[in-house]
């Protein structure tokens, strides 16, 4: 995928009433827009991913795969607040000449979807054939489909919800408490809160996988061990990996955006909001997902007009939407080809 930058130079008013003095979106594309401009597939990435979908969803994009650049024009924008090229807390605030740091404004999924729509208009894309995303990306895909119902032909939200649950908010708050417990978090510095984010990632992993997945992948074969278990080293390893590629400000911003997700806000409730969606919709859940349990996807399918619900059996919990690519391919291909 090729990466690009979209610069929006006008003041951008956020749902909170605060204003960003313009923003930048990093986005990646593969393939070409055809003459009819009807071959666009738009991906919305999850919390710590980037715009290069082939890096975090292997097996989904490529020659002969479900999404083929020889046929489709593929695009994914790095959400604002993230640290992979789009405007975020370490970006320079043009009004001060210094990084935003802790003054970076609160973003909601509605704000983020609005930036995506401005990019769509900039690229002169009148219609998006298919939009899909999982987790936080699925929340944004739904928000955008409600906001601009005439733009989308097909919608595939995966392992996501109409409103973030108290359970999900509690997980995110526990992670932010870990960041706050890091004394460096109070500083205006790029490395502020990194040790806390390492601990936060460990909390997140528990919600991404769950009891069964840990039992199958981190089980200790040595009956004589009393310390230094595989599960312990796995938690430390995953925390170290994230610290090398992410920062605590982005983690904070995007987890807050997830918490604020509520399609019904200002729209007369969730049912009224979901009734606005015109795209043909396939909602996919994972039977072992404890963070976004299947009942949340079943609710989406029951309220979106003529939506279809399908469930994947997976031992990988919420992370199954990134791992079970063969099963996802089968479901999405059947959905698209049945039309």
């Amino acid at each position: 995928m090729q990466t690009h930058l979209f610069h929006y130079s006008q003041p951008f008013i956020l749902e909170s009433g605060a204003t960003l003095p313009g923003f930048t979106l990093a986005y990646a594309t593969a393939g070409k827009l055809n003459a009819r401009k009807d071959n666009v597939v738009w991906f919305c990435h999850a919390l710590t991913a980037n715009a290069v979908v082939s890096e975090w969803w292997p097996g989904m994009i490529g020659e002969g795969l479900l999404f083929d650049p020889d046929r489709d024009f593929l695009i994914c924008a790095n959400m604002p607040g993230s640290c992979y090229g789009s405007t975020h807390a370490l970006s320079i605030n043009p009004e001060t000449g210094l990084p935003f740091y802790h003054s970076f404004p609160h973003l909601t999924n509605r704000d983020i979807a609005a930036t995506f729509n401005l990019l769509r208009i900039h690229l002169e894309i009148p219609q998006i054939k298919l939009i899909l995303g999982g987790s936080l990306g699925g929340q944004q895909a739904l928000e955008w489909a409600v906001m601009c119902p005439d733009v989308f032909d097909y919608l595939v939200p995966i392992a996501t919800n109409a409103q973030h649950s108290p359970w999900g908010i509690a997980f995110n708050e526990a992670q932010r408490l870990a960041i706050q417990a890091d004394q460096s978090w109070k500083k205006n510095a790029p490395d502020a809160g990194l040790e806390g984010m390492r601990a936060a990632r460990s909390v997140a992993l528990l919600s991404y996988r769950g009891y069964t997945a840990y039992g199958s992948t981190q089980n200790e074969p040595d009956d004589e061990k009393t310390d230094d278990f595989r599960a312990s080293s796995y938690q430390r390893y995953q925390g170290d990996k994230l610290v090398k590629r992410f920062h605590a400000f982005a983690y904070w911003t995007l987890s807050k955006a997830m918490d604020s997700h509520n399609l019904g806000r200002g729209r007369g409730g969730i049912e009224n909001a979901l009734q606005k969606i015109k795209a043909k919709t396939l909602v996919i859940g994972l039977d072992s997902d404890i963070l976004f349990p299947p009942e949340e996807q079943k609710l989406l399918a029951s309220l979106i007009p003529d939506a279809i619900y399908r469930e994947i059996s997976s031992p990988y919990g919420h992370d199954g939407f990134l791992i079970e690519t063969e099963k996802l391919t089968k479901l999405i291909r059947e959905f698209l080809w049945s039309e």
Side-chain angles (χ1 to χ4, degrees), residues 115-127:
T115 69
F116 294 166
N117 198 52
L118 288 169
L119 172 59
R120 176 188 69 85
I121 294 168
H122 168 75
L123 295 175
E124 299 181 347
I125 296 173
Q127 198 74 12

Side-chain angles (χ1 to χ4, degrees), residues 129-243:
K129 177 183 176 182
L130 168 65
I131 182 169
L132 70 164
S135 193
L136 177 59
Q139 293 178 339
Q140 292 163 10
L142 286 162
E143 182 63 58
W144 196 3
V146 171
M147 183 186 301
C148 302
D150 293 320
V151 167
F152 305 98
D153 295 330
Y154 298 91
L155 165 66
V156 180
I158 309 166
T160 192
N161 52 19
Q163 177 181 0
H164 208 44
S165 67
W167 173 248
I169 293 169
F171 261 114
N172 284 341
E173 185 64 20
Q175 294 167 61
R176 289 190 295 267
L177 285 171
I179 292 172
Q180 283 182 306
D182 182 341
Q183 290 301 305
S184 72
W185 174 238
K186 300 174 183 179
K187 299 189 302 181
N188 284 332
D191 61 351
L194 283 185
E195 287 301 314
M197 188 180 72
R198 180 182 279 109
R201 186 64 165 179
S202 292
V203 175
L205 286 166
L206 301 177
S207 67
Y208 296 161
R209 290 296 177 98
Y211 182 90
T212 301
Y214 272 84
S216 62
T217 63
Q218 304 304 319
N219 188 44
E220 196 61 59
D222 184 357
D223 289 337
E224 304 306 316
K225 265 202 169 184
T226 60
D227 199 2
D228 194 26
F229 296 102
R230 290 179 63 182
S232 299
S233 62
Y234 177 75
Q235 297 299 94
R236 291 192 297 269
Y237 167 72
Q238 292 294 342
D240 290 343
K241 273 195 1 179
L242 187 66
V243 164

Side-chain angles (χ1 to χ4, degrees), residues 261-323:
H261 177 62
N262 184 347
L263 294 173
R265 186 172 55 247
R267 294 176 174 138
I270 288 170
E271 183 173 356
N272 284 340
L274 289 172
Q275 288 291 313
K276 297 178 185 294
I277 292 177
K278 295 181 180 180
K280 298 179 180 68
T281 303
L282 168 65
V283 184
I284 301 177
L286 296 143
D287 65 352
S288 57
D289 191 342
I290 63 170
L291 184 57
F292 291 80
E295 52 261 36
E296 295 192 323
Q297 293 88 62
K298 291 175 183 177
L299 177 66
L300 288 170
S302 71
L303 296 177
I304 297 172
D306 301 318
I308 298 168
Y309 175 73
R310 295 289 182 268
E311 190 167 297
I312 289 174
S313 180
S314 171
Y316 298 111
H318 185 60
D319 272 355
F321 85 92
L322 296 170
I323 298 170

Side-chain angles (χ1 to χ4, degrees), residues 20-39:
L20 267 179
F23 62 83
T24 294
L25 287 184
Y27 66 100
T29 62
K32 293 182 179 180
L33 190 63
N34 65 18
R36 298 185 303 276
K37 297 186 177 182
D38 64 357
N39 66 331

Side-chain angles (χ1 to χ4, degrees), residues 6-12 20-24 94 118:
F6 164 54
H7 301 289
Y8 185 78
S9 58
Q10 301 177 45
F12 181 67
L20 267 179
F23 62 83
T24 294
L118 288 169

